[in-house]
Structures are given as C-alpha cells and as structure tokens.
Amino acid sequence: MEHSIRNHLGALALFALAAVPLASAPALAEDPIQLGWVGPLSPPGNYSGGQEMQWAVQLGVDEINKAGGLLGRQLEVTYEDTKGQPAEGSAAAVRLITKNNVSAIFGEFHSSVALAEIEEAHKYGVAWMGTDVWADDITAKQYPEVFRVSPANSLVYVKAADWTVEQGFKNIAIIAENTDFGQGGAKIIADELQAKNVAHTLATIDLNQQDFTPALLRLMNQSPRPDAIQMVVAGQAQYQLVKQACQLGLAPTAETKLIGSSGLLQKEVWEVDGACAKNLLIVNVAQPKSQWNDKAKAFVAAFTERYKRAPTGVALEAYDTLGVVAEAIRKAGSADRAAIVRALEEIKYEGANATYSFPTTKEPAWAFHQFMDVPFTIIQYTEENQGPEEAAIVYPKNWATTDKILP
C-alpha cells in the first residue's frame, strides 16, 4: 500500500511539474501581431521605390521587436508584391486579410492599385494606411478604414502649379500617365493654370510604353515650345521620359525645364539616365536635412548603414507609415481591427518626417483621414549622382537653398 501511495504521489508531482510550463507558455510565447504591407517589387510597377519602402519598413519592424515588440508581442509583417497592377493589389489585400489574418494593411506606391486595395479593406473592416499614393479619390471615398500619410494631388499640385507661374513660365506642358494619379494630378494643374491664364498643353502616356518620342516631338514642335514640362508619372516610365527628352534636346535645357515626381528620387535614376538627370526638378515629399529631428537623423543613419545607400523621402514616408500603425495599436491596447481604426482617428504621432494626425472633416472630400501638413520641397539635381538630400532646394522660400534654377 505504501509503495502504491508513493507511486501515486510521484505521478501527481510529475504531472504538476509538467503543468507549470504548459500554463505559462501562452504568456511567454504569445502569437505575433500580424500586419500586411503592399507595394510594387517588380515591373511594371515602380519597383525601386517599392524596394526602398520595404527596406524602411523592415528596419522599423526590427527596431520595434528589439525593443520588446507591441503590447508584449513581436511584430510580423507579410510583404505582398502588387507589381503596380490593380488586380494584384486587390488579390494581395484579400490574401492578407483572409489568409494571414492581419490587423492592418499599409504601404503602396501606385494610386490605381491603392484604389483597388481599399475596396477590400473597407469590405472587411481593416485599417489601410497609404504611404506614397496621391490620387484624391483614395481618401475622397471617405471610407472609415482608409488613411494616408502622403499628400493628396490637391495638396501638392496646386502649389506646384502656382510655383511654376511665380517662376515666370508661360507655356507649360503636362505629361500625365493614364491612371487615377496621373489624370487627377494633371486636371488639378491644368485648372490652376487656367485660373491664372497660363497657356498649357496636356499629353497622356501609357505606362506600358517604352517609346515616348512621338509625344515628346509634338511638344518640341509646338510654337512656342514649352518652357516647362511637368511630369505626373509615378512609375519607371519617368526614367525613359527623361532619357528620351534629353536625347531629343528638349529637356532639361535652358529653354525647357523638366519637373518630375518621387519616382526620380532613387539613385537608379543616375544608373538609367546618367548625365541626362542633371538639372532635373523633382517634387520631394520630405523635409530638408536642415529640418530633420532626432528620429529622422537616427533613421537616416541606420538605413544608410544597413543598405549602403541614403534613404529618400519615400523611405521616410514608409518608415513613418509603420510607426503610425504601431502607435495606433499601442493606443488601442489591442490588435483588434476595429480598435485600430478608432485609434487612428484619435492619434497624434511624431514621426521622422512629420507629426501625424488624421482629420474627419468631410469638405473637401479628399481631406477625410488625409494628413494635411505634408512637408514637401521642389529640388534640383545640380551634380551627377547627387542624392535628393544634397540637391538644391528651390521651393518653398523658407527652406530654399538657392533662388536660381539651372541651367
């Protein structure tokens, strides 16, 4: 009997010891918080911009996890390549929501793709935060789940058009891609120029084209020839436009300035266009180096050390997009989808590029959940292989480093 009791007590003790790690396991190894990133990592999308965005996000994820994660849980991001195609973006959003069970989705470089993704985010009630997508319609739909850290077309291109007029340009050509971003931005510029009685011409291009010579020749043979060309183009097509305009002797020249968008900020522009990129003017969504806060300085240093290249404004936007979503999760105290949406409406977050909040005002329609104080400059490359952080700043006046436009 004594032997039986000892065996029984021994079995109970072993069971109790075995039960201890089982009981504590969930607290020690709780599942990671799942987030989804979307953006172009292969053609025909702007894959160089997408790659830079992904790098910036992963840097931020590693920093958060090294510091203990979010709500005591590690952060895990699934990256989806949307290839600059709306159908790919829609499918990616559905996979992230239904297969990966993400708490929120963020990223994207192409507005038409973003417009496809937000339909799925709205359908499933999942927060979606845009990184570098400018079409007004993205926030103008006023979906509760949709937010944006980058500018709406109406925030940037009215000011860009006004600047061209202030510079004394009198015949402005607009080259726009046939997408929501391109056509929306072109209309805003054209309307502003029309209101100021400035002559302008619109040329629409297909992003799948490789030869833009016919459209450029039409502009070149105009009388008078354009003295400025504003490109509203987000993809790799800008590289070819710059090269072909340069080879024709059209722009950038003393007679015709060439103005591009954030797709020309990555160093690949020099690899493709070489000396033709010198004197390019570019709309850059970023504060100048002189205005960087400590978070921006730390990010630039860490990014440069890890990836052996300086980050652009696109990378800063991507890093801050992750930061905003992470802060919303902290504020909500939960990775619950609805709780994150509510927290984003109440958030005020100091990032590397700006301090973010998202108004619920409904007029104008695009202002809903649109970060309104987006910092942007117009820069000019004055030397070959120059990075945007070293380029001359020609706008706005309070940040300008020169009052002259070259050549």
Side-chain angles (χ1 to χ4, degrees):
M1 173 66 73
E2 184 178 347
H3 178 73
S4 174
I5 291 172
R6 280 201 305 269
N7 285 347
H8 180 66
L9 290 173
L12 287 173
L14 287 172
F15 177 80
L17 288 171
V20 170
L22 289 173
S24 60
L28 293 175
E30 196 170 356
D31 289 341
I33 294 174
Q34 299 290 335
L35 297 179
W37 179 90
V38 283
L41 295 173
S42 59
N46 186 357
Y47 53 87
S48 60
Q51 180 64 82
E52 188 184 30
M53 289 164 64
Q54 184 189 33
W55 285 337
V57 169
Q58 191 56 50
L59 180 64
V61 169
D62 293 345
E63 289 174 351
I64 289 170
N65 286 338
K66 185 177 179 180
L70 290 173
L71 310 180
R73 299 163 63 182
Q74 290 289 282
L75 185 61
E76 190 170 288
V77 175
T78 299
Y79 297 93
E80 286 279 355
D81 177 13
T82 59
K83 302 179 176 67
Q85 302 295 297
E88 294 282 351
S90 179
V94 172
R95 281 194 300 273
L96 290 169
I97 294 167
T98 62
K99 179 182 176 183
N100 299 98
N101 195 31
V102 300
S103 295
I105 297 173
F106 64 103
E108 201 49 70
F109 196 93
H110 297 283
S111 291
S112 293
V113 185
L115 285 164
E117 292 162 1
I118 66 174
E119 294 300 327
E120 304 301 335
H122 179 53
K123 175 182 175 182
Y124 288 97
V126 178
W128 183 98
M129 177 71 69
T131 295
D132 197 51
V133 285
W134 297 13
D136 284 6
D137 283 349
I138 292 169
T139 46
K141 287 179 177 288
Q142 301 191 354
Y143 289 159
E145 302 82 7
V146 176
F147 301 79
R148 171 164 52 188
V149 301
S150 61
N153 276 337
S154 290
L155 269 176
V156 167
Y157 283 125
V158 168
K159 294 178 181 178
D162 289 347
W163 174 79
T164 59
V165 175
E166 290 169 7
Q167 294 302 308
F169 297 119
K170 299 186 182 306
N171 297 284
I172 299 172
I174 308 164
I175 300 179
E177 61 182 58
N178 58 346
T179 65
D180 298 276
F181 159 67
Q183 296 304 299
K187 185 179 186 308
I188 290 163
I189 295 169
D191 288 351
E192 189 69 8
L193 295 176
Q194 180 70 34
K196 295 180 179 296
N197 296 312
V198 176
H200 55 280
T201 305
L202 173 63
T204 297
I205 63 165
D206 188 323
L207 286 179
N208 294 320
Q209 287 178 245
Q210 292 297 315
D211 184 9
F212 303 105
T213 304
L216 292 169
L217 281 173
R218 284 195 295 273
L219 295 178
M220 193 170 182
N221 293 324
Q222 274 184 197
S223 183
R225 180 185 291 192
D227 49 13
I229 299 174
Q230 173 77 65
M231 294 184 290
V232 192
V233 182
Q236 306 297 121
Q238 272 192 112
Y239 293 174
Q240 295 303 317
L241 276 166
V242 171
K243 179 183 285 187
Q244 291 166 22
C246 174
Q247 290 171 339
L248 289 170
L250 171 60
T253 62
E255 295 77 21
T256 304
K257 305 300 183 285
L258 190 57
I259 310 164
S261 64
S262 56
L264 294 171
L265 295 171
Q266 287 76 34
K267 71 174 186 176
E268 284 76 11
V269 70
W270 297 108
E271 297 170 6
V272 177
D273 294 329
C276 286
K278 186 178 176 182
N279 297 328
L280 268 176
L281 292 152
I282 305 169
V283 176
N284 181 25
V285 181
Q287 295 192 43
K289 183 188 288 189
S290 63
Q291 302 300 308
W292 287 351
N293 61 18
D294 290 343
K295 187 174 286 190
K297 293 173 184 175
F299 167 72
V300 170
F303 187 100
T304 303
E305 180 179 0
R306 178 179 290 196
Y307 302 114
K308 310 308 177 191
R309 58 191 284 167
T312 71
V314 174
L316 283 160
E317 287 179 297
Y319 182 74
D320 280 353
T321 310
L322 171 69
V324 167
V325 173
E327 182 63 22
I329 293 171
R330 290 191 190 97
K331 183 176 178 63
S334 167
D336 175 74
R337 291 168 173 175
I340 293 171
V341 172
R342 290 193 297 270
L344 284 169
E345 281 199 341
E346 301 170 358
I347 203 169
K348 186 173 183 180
Y349 171 73
E350 184 180 1
N353 206 31
T355 299
Y356 300 89
S357 59
F358 304 96
T360 56
T361 180
K362 295 191 175 183
E363 290 294 337
W366 55 262
F368 184 76
H369 287 176
Q370 167 66 56
F371 170 52
M372 298 298 286
D373 296 323
V374 177
F376 85 95
T377 59
I378 297 176
I379 63 173
Q380 184 174 41
Y381 292 140
T382 57
E383 298 178 10
E384 289 186 45
N385 298 310
Q386 195 172 48
E389 75 283 359
E390 301 297 339
I393 300 171
V394 298
Y395 174 91
K397 287 183 179 179
N398 59 314
W399 287 344
T401 58
T402 181
D403 58 359
K404 291 181 172 57
I405 299 176
L406 301 177

